[in-house]
Amino acid sequence: MTDNKIKSSAVETLDRYLAAKRLRRTPERYAILSMVLQMNKHFYVETICRAMAESNFRVSRATVYNTIELFTQAGIVRRHRFGNEPAQFEKIVDTAAANHQHLVCTKCGKVKEIKDPLLLSTLSQRRYQAFTPEYFQFYVYGICSQCSRRLKQHKL
Ligand SMILES: [Zn+2]
């Protein structure tokens, strides 16, 4: 999908969601949406607060927080929780491309995205009774190479 297509489909999703929930189409909600769509990696609520401040759009932290929550419910972003880290979010652009796996370091909290086509094809062939899967989240917890190097050095 091109950036413009992604944007118009996300705006449509938000329009539909707000109408269905009888919520107001506030400029803040659309400004936060366009900021979220510029994020190419996982982001924190804090990341969006900072980016909004830098673009001189005045919006309270609570509004950003609530709006991202609303996007999660509308299916525009997906929430991840990695261990004790604050929640991280990512935009859902196209389900197939978003089906990646996460390697999470339990020492430093770093998250690496990987694609494991074999695992993905196995997962997507799974069928569940009375349930239609939409996407998967797969986390592998462990220790990253930097932390493992650091751990070894301390032992010496
Ligand atoms: Zn690490």
Side-chain angles (χ1 to χ4, degrees), residues 105-110 142-148 150:
C105 178
T106 52
K107 292 279 170 207
C108 67
K110 201 160 54 197
I143 295 173
C144 75
S145 57
Q146 273 178 14
C147 288
S148 102
R150 218 170 294 140

Side-chain angles (χ1 to χ4, degrees), residues 110-128:
K110 201 160 54 197
V111 180
K112 193 177 170 192
E113 289 182 7
I114 53 145
K115 291 212 177 186
D116 182 336
L118 189 62
L119 178 68
L120 198 59
S121 91
T122 308
L123 285 174
S124 55
Q125 282 163 29
R126 302 288 302 142
R127 295 287 174 268
Y128 303 93

Side-chain angles (χ1 to χ4, degrees), residues 34-132:
S34 99
M35 195 54 86
V36 160
L37 295 175
Q38 287 173 40
M39 301 286 141
N40 288 316
K41 290 190 295 190
H42 294 176
F43 57 89
Y44 298 96
V45 169
E46 204 53 43
T47 319
I48 301 295
C49 291
R50 228 176 302 129
M52 296 302 286
E54 275 164 22
S55 72
N56 290 319
F57 194 101
R58 297 181 71 112
V59 59
S60 73
R61 174 164 315 206
T63 302
V64 176
Y65 198 89
N66 294 336
T67 305
I68 305 256
E69 184 62 44
L70 188 143
F71 292 170
T72 308
Q73 278 155 25
I76 296 166
V77 303
R78 182 176 297 162
R79 181 202 314 270
H80 296 287
R81 288 225 75 147
F82 300 113
N84 292 324
E85 287 275 292
Q88 293 183 41
F89 298 85
E90 74 183 313
K91 61 183 176 192
I92 303 173
V93 274
D94 116 52
T95 315
N99 266 327
H100 52 255
Q101 292 79 45
H102 304 89
L103 303 181
V104 187
C105 178
T106 52
K107 292 279 170 207
C108 67
K110 201 160 54 197
V111 180
K112 193 177 170 192
E113 289 182 7
I114 53 145
K115 291 212 177 186
D116 182 336
L118 189 62
L119 178 68
L120 198 59
S121 91
T122 308
L123 285 174
S124 55
Q125 282 163 29
R126 302 288 302 142
R127 295 287 174 268
Y128 303 93
Q129 203 183 349
F131 189 83
T132 307

